[in-house]
Amino acid sequence: MGSENADIVIIGAGFSGLYAMHRLRNYKVVCFEAGDGVGGTWYWNRYPGARVDIESMEYSYGFDEALQQEWNWPEYFSAQPDLERYANHVADRFGLREQVRFSNPVRRLAFDEASNLWHVHSEQGDHVVCRHVIAATGSLSAPNLPPWPGRETFTGEIYHTARWPKENVDFSGQRVGFIGTGSSGIQATPIIAEQADQLCIFQRTPAFCMPSGNRPLDESHEHDWKTNYAERREQMLNSYGVSLVDYSRFSAHDCTPEEREQILEKAWHSRSAFQLLFAFSDVMTDKQANDMVCDFVHRKIRAIVHDPETAELLCPTSYPIGGKRLCMGNGYYEMYNRENVELVDVRSSPIVELTAKGLRTTDQEYEFDAIVMATGFDAVTGAMTRIDIQGRAGNTLLEKWKNGPTTHLGSMVAGFPNLFMIHGPATPGAQAQMITSGEWQVNWTADIIEDMQRKAFSRIEATVDAEQAWAQEVDACASQSLLRLADSWYNGKNIEGKKGGFMVYVGGFPRFAQLCEQAIEEDYSGFVLE
Ligand code: N01
């Protein structure tokens, strides 16, 4: 097949990719998408109970006033089908679908130095030559399948939460083995427990789980947002990323034990899952303050879960609350009071293999009809390193990032000109609100592309010095946060052997945005343009 020309290739038709297509509609854009529909995260993660943990009035696009006025969310925290429906509505309303090549993931990118053009090769054999590539590949999109031997021998079905089938999966009458107790596991297990005969949950590390507080959206709340949308969106960009949290100004140490208890009790029942982390100003920076919040949640778990041994296993003690992404559940701890649910600790006796009948830990073999893996993602870097990306001088991104990702402002990589990432390594990512911050990054990127066109530049590249300076900024922010004390997808330690440091920018979205803007105002500091 011959090659074709475009101005820009966008990889991924998730929320950022869709907006990038709209924002750059005056260019010839081709978008490649691995799935057969739009929505990215909300296309793939269709497991039972999948639901967003940020209010939908906020977790939605702000780029078009008519869109945000006309769309109605049925619940405070939308379920996956509503989010997917919204992505489809946006694709149709703004005429984006025609530019997307579905079921056609990008397999190879190669930069041609003579022409300053990228050659993009896809699975279906498309070959597009373009000036710029925008990787809107998502930070939680490459599923993690631990390399247990024997997978092919298991005679039942194996599911991964991030590759859930579109057809209804019914576990009625089945013995189900469920691996993983992060955000996905916590949402899926209470629903599967209601269907299955037996549900055996394999936990390596317990999670902190807040009750979701989801309910039908009330009209006055919706009306309030819709009359103040512009202001609300502004607040979101000027906050930690989520505006519906009361950011406390006082330390946990400044309260009496009774006052602390009252504040935490209120946070536990609040409408935002993240309120516990901001109940005091120092929960994420002071270990003692954090311990007080952990103690509060441990007491909640012990009060909900009847069996004392199970309750102890469910109490996270090896990392600070907030160190891993706080989870939001619906009856998660209560589920362990059911007769048909069992919790198995695979920290003390790890899973060693899958077998024909089920799986084996170092202790014993378990028999199942189906196995569900909620084992998370090769986060932040996985979606990029799974593509064969060759930059200048034939250097590959895989090789460049073998000891961990390096970027300038989370957006570009030295040696890989004209390749932009949205939610790339060392951006705020899930530490902000992904749709709004994604929109912001798309606008920042599009402004650069338009400026290059105006000034007749054909190439932009980050410098190695700028990458090092950005790594220092990222580390300096992480060193002030207790987030560094947990093994999680934020630092790649959820996957054995994955190298690199902290991969998320925790200096707050406002500072991130300010530094990105400043770099452009200072004559593209940290970039070289030709
Ligand atoms: O993935 P995870 P996730 N043996 O990495 C376990 C977003 N999200 O899909 O903690 C045994 O959190 C692993 O154990 P450990 C959100 O940002 C949002 O649940 O690594 N167990 C862990 O228990 C979230 O943070 C929403 O020790 C193994 C689980 O699998 C992110 O996506 C909903 C194992 C993976 O948990 C990822 O969430 C869902 C092994 N070899 C997701 N390997 C909402 O908006 C892994 N595990 C609400």
Side-chain angles (χ1 to χ4, degrees):
M1 200 188 283
S3 67
E4 54 188 307
N5 296 318
D7 297 317
I8 301 164
V9 162
I10 293 170
I11 312 178
F15 278 81
S16 297
L18 284 177
Y19 176 57
M21 274 187 271
H22 175 65
R23 174 67 170 77
L24 292 158
R25 62 194 172 282
N26 293 332
Y27 291 86
K28 180 164 187 228
V29 170
V30 172
C31 174
F32 288 100
E33 165 57 51
D36 68 4
V38 298
T41 282
W42 299 107
Y43 167 89
W44 293 107
N45 291 267
R46 54 183 72 241
Y47 59 84
R51 184 179 290 286
V52 68
D53 55 5
I54 294 174
E55 273 196 27
S56 293
M57 293 307 292
E58 175 159 8
Y59 188 82
S60 48
Y61 287 120
F63 68 86
D64 188 88
E65 179 60 13
L67 170 71
Q68 60 185 6
Q69 289 299 330
E70 79 199 10
W71 185 260
N72 299 107
W73 295 105
E75 295 177 289
Y76 271 78
F77 298 94
S78 288
Q80 178 273 334
D82 287 319
L83 286 151
E84 192 186 11
R85 193 165 55 84
Y86 176 66
N88 277 287
H89 171 76
V90 171
D92 292 332
R93 191 186 193 289
F94 296 98
L96 307 173
R97 204 176 289 278
E98 295 68 36
Q99 294 164 70
V100 187
R101 301 191 184 175
F102 290 104
S103 307
N104 199 0
V106 169
R107 291 294 178 219
R108 186 160 177 267
L109 292 178
F111 187 71
D112 175 48
E113 289 188 60
S115 60
N116 287 332
L117 295 171
W118 279 101
H119 288 249
V120 181
H121 301 269
S122 75
E123 181 160 294
Q124 289 184 21
D126 299 14
H127 175 189
V128 180
V129 182
C130 62
R131 176 73 65 213
H132 298 286
V133 174
I134 299 178
T137 38
S139 50
L140 294 159
S141 44
N144 169 39
L145 288 167
W148 291 302
R151 199 187 152 89
E152 62 299 335
T153 60
F154 179 60
T155 49
E157 289 293 330
I158 300 179
Y159 303 94
H160 191 289
T161 44
R163 288 292 178 273
W164 204 261
K166 283 187 181 164
E167 313 75 53
N168 186 30
V169 181
D170 186 358
F171 293 105
S172 301
Q174 296 195 13
R175 298 162 302 167
V176 180
F178 194 103
I179 308 166
T181 53
S183 300
S184 305
I186 272 171
Q187 291 187 323
T189 46
I191 296 175
I192 296 177
E194 283 174 14
Q195 291 176 1
D197 250 20
Q198 290 169 28
L199 176 63
C200 185
I201 299 170
F202 294 89
Q203 170 188 277
R204 186 166 68 179
T205 315
F208 286 97
C209 176
M210 283 276 296
S212 97
N214 184 42
R215 58 203 181 281
L217 188 63
D218 69 64
E219 264 178 46
S220 62
H221 186 68
E222 183 176 3
H223 178 76
D224 179 42
W225 266 83
K226 288 190 171 175
T227 40
N228 296 298
Y229 242 132
E231 196 186 313
R232 290 290 173 87
R233 298 277 182 207
E234 195 61 35
Q235 270 172 17
M236 285 154 64
L237 290 174
N238 289 324
S239 74
Y240 202 74
V242 184
S243 65
L244 291 169
V245 168
D246 293 328
Y247 293 91
S248 173
R249 288 173 194 278
F250 52 86
S251 154
H253 298 286
D254 294 343
C255 311
T256 64
E258 294 72 28
E259 284 167 340
R260 262 199 309 269
E261 197 68 8
Q262 248 182 11
I263 291 167
L264 289 172
E265 192 63 38
K266 198 170 156 218
W268 180 260
H269 295 287
S270 80
R271 60 187 188 180
S272 169
F274 303 106
Q275 189 59 52
L276 271 186
L277 305 184
F278 299 99
F280 310 109
S281 58
D282 46 2
V283 179
M284 290 313 298
T285 50
D286 179 292
K287 180 75 172 63
Q288 281 180 331
N290 192 285
D291 284 346
M292 293 174 198
V293 184
C294 291
D295 175 62
F296 173 84
V297 180
H298 292 166
R299 283 184 281 119
K300 283 283 180 203
I301 296 171
R302 289 179 191 127
I304 298 170
V305 178
H306 301 160
D307 175 48
E309 255 180 57
T310 306
E312 282 322 299
L313 258 185
L314 287 168
C315 286
T317 51
S318 60
Y319 64 96
I321 186 167
K324 287 172 183 279
R325 170 86 167 190
L326 194 62
C327 301
M328 187 184 81
N330 260 317
Y332 176 67
Y333 293 125
E334 291 80 354
M335 170 189 70
Y336 288 97
N337 295 330
R338 295 177 66 105
E339 288 288 309
N340 66 336
V341 175
E342 183 192 358
L343 182 65
V344 175
D345 173 25
V346 288
R347 172 73 61 192
S348 56
S349 48
I351 297 167
V352 286
E353 61 172 344
L354 269 56
T355 62
K357 291 180 180 167
L359 64 80
R360 193 189 313 277
T361 68
T362 49
D363 258 3
Q364 68 174 89
E365 184 175 7
Y366 295 82
E367 293 187 9
F368 299 118
D369 302 304
I371 293 176
V372 180
M373 307 217 185
T375 43
F377 300 90
D378 178 1
V380 185
T381 53
M384 292 294 283
T385 54
R386 289 176 189 195
I387 302 173
D388 172 13
I389 303 180
Q390 268 184 28
R392 268 196 302 108
N395 293 321
T396 66
L397 191 69
L398 193 63
E399 177 65 17
K400 165 118 186 172
W401 282 1
K402 67 175 189 243
N403 293 319
T406 53
T407 69
H408 181 34
L409 301 166
S411 168
M412 296 200 85
V413 183
F416 298 80
N418 298 358
L419 169 62
F420 296 93
M421 294 172 292
I422 310 297
H423 296 311
T427 55
Q431 286 288 305
Q433 196 265 80
M434 298 285 279
I435 297 187
T436 306
S437 59
E439 262 181 271
W440 190 94
Q441 280 178 58
V442 166
N443 283 333
W444 182 83
T445 304
D447 286 347
I448 293 175
I449 291 173
E450 286 164 356
D451 197 34
M452 284 177 69
Q453 190 188 21
R454 267 192 305 273
K455 295 174 179 162
F457 285 122
S458 64
R459 172 158 146 176
I460 180 168
E461 184 179 342
T463 66
V464 173
D465 286 351
E467 281 186 333
Q468 285 167 358
W470 187 241
Q472 280 169 12
E473 163 76 15
V474 173
D475 285 348
C477 295
S479 70
Q480 288 166 30
S481 166
L482 296 178
L483 277 157
R484 72 188 185 284
L485 300 181
D487 290 353
S488 72
W489 64 260
Y490 294 142
N491 53 21
K493 292 200 177 142
N494 61 324
I495 293 182
E496 220 174 299
K498 185 164 173 174
K499 289 191 183 157
F502 207 77
M503 298 188 293
V504 177
Y505 183 72
V506 292
F509 185 79
R511 180 168 167 79
F512 171 77
Q514 185 217 326
L515 292 172
C516 289
E517 275 167 356
Q518 196 177 315
I520 304 309
E521 280 157 19
E522 289 173 357
D523 206 14
Y524 286 90
S525 125
F527 296 99
V528 175
L529 286 117
E530 283 173 18

